[in-house]
Amino acid sequence: MTEVFRAIGLGKSYPGVRANDDVSFAVSAGEIHALLGENGAGKSTLVKMIYGLVRPDDGQMQLSGAEYLPADPRAARAAGVAMVFQHFSLFDALTVAENIALGMENPPPRRELSRRIAQTSSDYGLPLNPNRRVATLSAGERQRVEILRCLLQSPRLLIMDEPTSVLTPQEAEILFATLRKLAGTGTAILYISHKLEEIRSHCDSATILRHGKVVNTVTPRDHSARALAAMMVGAEMRTVDRSNRQAGAPVLEVSHLSLDAPTAEGTRLQDISLELRAGEILGVGGVAGNGQEELLSALSGEALSPAGTVLLEGQDLSRKGPETRRQAGLLAAPEDRLGHAAVPEFSLTENTLLTGANRQGLVRRGLIDPGAARRFAEAVITAFDVRTPGPGTAAGALSGGNLQKFVIGREVLGKPRVLVVNQPTWGVDAGAAAAIRQSLLDLARGGAGVIVISQDLDELLELSDRFAALNDGRLSPPRATEGLTIEEIGLMLGGAHGMEVAHVEA
Amino acid sequence: MIDPLSVFLMLLGAATPILFASLGELVAERAGVLNLGVEGMMICGALAGFAAAHASGSPALGFLAAAVGGTAISLIFAGLSQYLLTNQVATGLALTLFGLGLTAMFGKPYEGTKAPSMPMGPLGLNWMIWLGLIAVPLVWWFLNRSRAGLVLRAVGENHDAAHALGYPVRRIRVLAIAFGGAMAGLGGAYISIATVLQWTEGMTAGAGWIALAIVVFSRWDPRGALAGAWLFGGVTVLQLRLQAAGVSVPVQLLSMAPYLATILVLVLISAQQKFGRSAGGAAPGSLGRPFHALR
């Protein structure tokens, strides 16, 4: 096979972070080459260098044997490199044709362009109407726009940045069929992902990055997902340790909690009762939209419930808001990291104040104590291995997994009596997910009660002592997790809802 | 009595300063820049234009100087907002105050002098009116049909995506701001050279703010800007005629009418957007947001 692209000793530093260090690998024509790594391993920086968005500090690149150093993405496109972005690259208010024209160097006149879009989209089985506004398209259709934009330029090297993270499994299958077809025509494809199964079944080779360095280049089919994950996260990969935990006295009691749906699309909570013991993890499973968010709000205090329905160690908190509940030791970490659990524009230090202000003593005489807030932020960063230049970094600048570690860490270090988390590892890579799960177990071992609301059944089975299913706003009686089978859980979830077993990434 | 044709011809004149200013601001906003300094750029254009026309005796040179003056002051805004990433709202407001103060100081010697008379074009309308009318389809064509216009809209819609595709977000925005400054300068000079024929401190009298409102009214479409400018010009002319006809309404109320009409229309539009179906005509996605690329 002829080599299309080669990186030799690429390196790039940002203040406080060595994003890439001595990265070398090669991609051949017709090959689907995976770039595998945890969040923050340097995958994005690497492809940005190849696409001309970031200039490498050292090392060099070759395209078809010739020296290659694009000044900007247009130079990269002119050289035959195209890229499909994870996000940030479509214009909602513009039409499909306009979006595609923007990604081409010399777009043909409008009619000719529309004709070519129709032609190429039918060649590859990706139907699209060139005159639709992008705002009206689904996630899968949007990605089609990006792919078509690349295909129309007949690239030599196509870069795909986590393309399946927004797709349904069916859409992902279509995408891989398209990529196969494209590789068949001699295009080299660089495929970035942290989904191991996907890479094992579809990619010809894989370069694995860890902390900005190449760990190994392997044929993914020859290795188990577990082995790949181990390479990806290094020695830190461990199975969670569930030992040494004992259920103590009840800490949280919820009795006959019913709440109307907060919005028209919301779910009504109906007669929810549960008892959580100290040192216990209660798993709450269910298909999304069955009341998970509403349950979290009712427990965190964002939604108030009738008196006597939520009791923490005998103290009635039903009519108290979130801050009072936090003071009492009932903490929560909602699902949505950006905008609910953290303010994207705030620094990590400022974000600690959102829930830690009183509990951590970060406020003195009505004034913020910046030193204390920074120290607490640093403590969270250290304890949870949050990869960031420092506590002054804006929350929105962190990768999803790192921010999730920070958000969970902020609550865990708050020494809660009861912690409620919703989807703690959603969209988080394997290494970070394992760390978050371990921290929840450690918290329970320390005597706190933990409620984990999740759609990932394997996660719930791994973590929880008892399992309850949330179905249309009703909570099933909890059952001991030990001995519970996936089939039984399916029945608890109402069967007909057809929740699929979560796709575990490692 | 009030003759409709003469009112329309006068309306064209009254609408011209606002039409220029709002077309310029519209292009800047389409590129994602919210420049609230329109009033300041207009007043600078008004003085620069008046001074040049007075010194040279040529209105054409006056308008040229006005465009240069408007551009120059807009580049202050561009430097602050695009390179030093200052808050656009605050910087724009400061630009207006700065322009008003600057012209009040340098305009002193010109008070009481007269501008050279404007040469007339076809239909008894001066050339600037015609230029403004021609600018409407030109700006529309530029935005909707040209490649450069597409890139400009892309930058305004989503600057991160435009940057990721390799378009020079900052340079495009600086050019759009400069165009807005030049157009505002022309609009301001029209007031001093063609309407009032002399220089008075603060003579733009809020025209820049009306232009800003009209950009929203137009839903960022040059044709809408023309309609908005005509509406404002129409109410202005009508109230002047009513004053002249001695209608028994207090003068203050009549003078207020153009501004009241603008506010009323804006309220109606936002009510329609809020309660009606609103697919198109939304503000550019990156409007007013500072852009910073990590390299």
Side-chain angles (χ1 to χ4, degrees):
Chain A
M1 283 198 287
T2 47
E3 179 182 297
V4 172
F5 176 82
R6 176 175 285 276
I8 306 155
L10 279 181
K12 176 77 192 174
S13 295
Y14 288 114
V17 182
R18 181 77 176 154
N20 278 151
D21 190 18
D22 193 22
V23 173
S24 304
F25 67 97
V27 191
S28 306
E31 180 191 20
I32 303 183
H33 189 105
L35 209 52
L36 186 60
E38 287 189 276
N39 291 334
K43 294 170 299 191
S44 292
T45 306
L46 183 56
V47 294
K48 280 180 180 165
M49 289 194 280
I50 302 173
Y51 196 58
L53 278 165
V54 170
R55 193 166 265 277
D57 293 337
D58 33 50
Q60 54 168 313
M61 296 182 277
Q62 290 175 353
L63 197 63
S64 303
E67 188 84 5
Y68 168 73
L69 183 64
D72 58 25
R74 301 162 83 168
R77 284 201 293 273
V81 176
M83 176 157 169
V84 173
F85 293 87
Q86 186 181 5
H87 35 220
F88 294 150
S89 91
L90 288 182
F91 304 94
D92 281 356
L94 308 185
T95 65
V96 169
E98 285 175 328
N99 267 283
I100 288 176
L102 280 166
M104 299 175 76
E105 268 328 286
N106 291 301
R110 296 198 305 153
R111 267 193 212 94
E112 167 68 9
L113 180 63
S114 292
R115 199 189 58 71
R116 279 180 55 191
I117 292 170
Q119 174 76 41
T120 313
S121 65
S122 72
D123 283 355
Y124 284 92
L126 304 167
L128 263 183
N129 175 357
N131 298 320
R132 283 270 295 277
R133 273 160 43 105
V134 166
T136 64
L137 302 180
S138 72
E141 288 173 314
R142 280 163 189 247
Q143 191 173 58
R144 257 179 234 168
V145 179
E146 301 221 31
I147 293 171
L148 272 178
R149 176 151 81 183
C150 295
L151 294 184
L152 281 171
Q153 304 174 80
S154 322
R156 282 190 280 177
L157 173 67
L158 175 64
I159 306 170
M160 313 264 321
D161 191 0
E162 306 207 2
T164 55
S165 56
V166 293
L167 301 185
T168 65
Q170 291 75 16
E171 287 174 324
E173 281 309 311
I174 296 174
L175 172 68
F176 281 113
T178 310
L179 292 184
R180 247 321 133 206
K181 216 177 216 176
L182 193 59
T185 67
T187 308
I189 296 169
L190 189 57
Y191 188 91
I192 296 142
S193 181
H194 57 246
K195 296 194 177 176
L196 298 163
E197 279 309 331
E198 191 175 285
I199 283 171
R200 285 189 64 238
S201 43
H202 296 287
C203 295
D204 303 309
S205 54
T207 293
I208 299 163
L209 287 178
R210 185 166 77 223
H211 295 317
K213 292 185 184 154
V214 173
V215 179
N216 208 347
T217 296
V218 298
T219 305
R221 270 184 277 282
D222 299 347
H223 298 266
S224 68
R226 197 168 169 74
L228 290 175
M231 289 184 228
M232 208 162 94
V233 300
E236 306 150 35
M237 186 65 188
R238 54 191 174 186
T239 44
V240 295
D241 171 13
R242 298 182 39 141
S243 60
N244 278 334
R245 290 191 300 115
Q246 271 184 352
V251 280
L252 181 74
E253 265 179 89
V254 177
S255 54
H256 306 292
L257 168 67
S258 295
L259 263 189
D260 281 338
T263 60
E265 300 85 44
T267 308
R268 212 179 105 75
L269 294 179
Q270 299 179 61
D271 196 28
I272 288 183
S273 296
L274 64 87
E275 187 188 77
L276 182 71
R277 294 172 169 278
E280 179 191 48
I281 298 185
L282 173 68
V284 175
V287 182
N290 271 295
Q292 284 93 336
E293 267 184 59
E294 289 79 2
L295 178 60
L296 183 115
S297 317
L299 294 176
S300 73
E302 284 171 77
L304 301 181
S305 50
T309 48
V310 178
L311 282 86
L312 183 76
E313 296 177 317
Q315 185 188 354
D316 184 5
L317 293 175
S318 317
R319 306 298 305 158
K320 306 283 192 235
E323 190 51 41
T324 317
R325 294 193 194 195
R326 260 181 229 130
Q327 300 271 32
L330 172 54
L331 306 192
E335 171 184 4
D336 185 12
R337 298 186 274 269
L338 283 176
H340 197 173
V343 179
E345 292 83 8
F346 279 14
S347 71
L348 294 180
T349 302
E350 289 164 331
N351 269 297
T352 60
L353 288 159
L354 297 181
T355 65
N358 295 317
R359 206 161 169 81
Q360 298 292 333
L362 307 181
V363 173
R364 273 189 311 182
R365 281 179 244 108
L367 295 176
I368 292 169
D369 182 348
R374 203 190 59 245
R375 280 191 296 280
F376 180 54
E378 277 164 356
V380 175
I381 289 168
T382 316
F384 283 79
D385 187 28
V386 180
R387 313 253 165 87
T388 168
T393 310
L398 264 64
S399 66
N402 274 315
L403 183 56
Q404 186 69 16
K405 283 197 274 189
F406 182 81
V407 166
I408 300 273
R410 181 180 68 188
E411 306 311 327
V412 168
L413 291 194
K415 298 196 178 51
R417 291 300 300 140
V418 171
L419 178 64
V420 187
V421 292
N422 189 6
Q423 298 274 45
T425 61
W426 184 81
V428 168
D429 63 72
I436 289 171
R437 288 176 195 152
Q438 186 61 53
S439 72
L440 295 175
L441 285 163
D442 293 345
L443 185 67
R445 185 176 316 160
V450 180
I451 296 180
V452 179
I453 305 172
S454 177
Q455 289 165 55
D456 185 339
L457 286 184
D458 292 320
E459 170 170 277
L460 293 176
L461 290 177
E462 185 179 355
L463 288 180
S464 49
D465 305 297
R466 288 188 300 151
F467 175 89
L470 195 57
N471 189 356
D472 197 20
R474 290 174 218 271
L475 192 71
S476 73
R479 289 180 55 178
T481 315
E482 218 158 295
L484 205 59
T485 64
I486 293 276
E487 286 70 32
E488 285 172 303
I489 291 176
L491 289 175
M492 287 172 75
L493 294 174
H497 280 284
M499 176 178 182
E500 54 185 316
V501 176
H503 317 271
V504 181
E505 288 167 4
Chain B
M1 261 328 286
I2 296 173
D3 161 32
L5 183 65
S6 79
V7 167
F8 181 69
L9 292 180
M10 279 187 70
L11 170 165
L12 288 177
T16 297
I18 298 161
L19 181 61
F20 272 105
S22 55
L23 283 176
E25 177 68 10
L26 188 146
V27 169
E29 291 195 12
R30 270 300 184 83
V33 182
L34 181 64
N35 183 355
L36 295 185
V38 183
E39 179 83 4
M41 301 188 296
M42 282 184 89
I43 195 82
C44 284
L47 179 62
F50 184 84
H54 179 73
S56 68
S58 155
L61 276 180
F63 281 109
L64 189 68
V68 173
T71 305
I73 188 170
S74 75
L75 289 178
I76 299 176
F77 176 84
L80 290 171
S81 68
Q82 301 306 304
Y83 290 89
L84 301 177
L85 303 180
T86 57
N87 177 293
Q88 294 183 8
V89 170
T91 311
L93 291 173
L95 192 72
T96 288
L97 295 174
F98 175 66
L100 289 170
L102 191 76
T103 52
M105 181 169 79
F106 288 109
K108 278 288 173 228
Y110 295 98
E111 277 177 3
T113 58
K114 232 181 120 36
S117 62
M118 286 283 288
M120 283 298 138
L123 296 179
L125 299 173
N126 66 51
W127 285 106
M128 287 308 287
I129 294 178
W130 288 109
L131 196 62
L133 293 176
I134 293 165
V136 174
L138 282 183
V139 170
W140 183 89
W141 184 88
F142 169 79
L143 286 174
N144 294 293
R145 288 291 177 268
S146 78
R147 169 83 175 163
L150 174 61
V151 173
L152 182 136
R153 281 189 289 142
V155 166
E157 190 55 44
N158 183 344
H159 52 216
D160 293 318
H163 172 71
L165 290 174
Y167 294 106
V169 173
R170 205 148 64 174
R171 196 186 319 154
I172 289 165
R173 287 192 168 161
V174 169
L175 289 174
I177 292 168
F179 177 76
M183 292 294 271
L186 289 176
Y190 189 89
I191 299 176
S192 63
I193 300 178
T195 311
V196 187
L197 306 178
Q198 58 180 7
W199 165 257
T200 354
E201 194 183 316
M203 67 187 305
T204 45
W209 298 111
I210 299 287
L212 274 164
I214 282 171
V215 174
V216 178
F217 163 85
S218 75
R219 297 189 176 187
W220 294 272
D221 181 332
R223 296 167 298 186
L226 181 67
W230 279 3
L231 175 78
F232 179 80
V235 179
T236 306
V237 170
L238 206 61
Q239 64 93 3
L240 285 174
R241 284 297 175 95
L242 288 173
Q243 279 187 35
V247 178
S248 61
V249 177
V251 174
Q252 289 83 352
L253 279 184
L254 286 173
S255 309
M256 238 188 261
Y259 304 94
L260 285 176
T262 309
I263 292 173
L264 190 69
V265 169
L266 282 176
V267 168
L268 287 177
I269 284 184
S270 47
Q272 188 198 343
Q273 272 176 348
K274 187 165 179 196
F275 301 111
R277 26 101 246 149
S278 64
S286 293
L287 183 61
R289 282 171 45 211
F291 172 72
H292 176 63
L294 183 67
R295 275 203 73 97

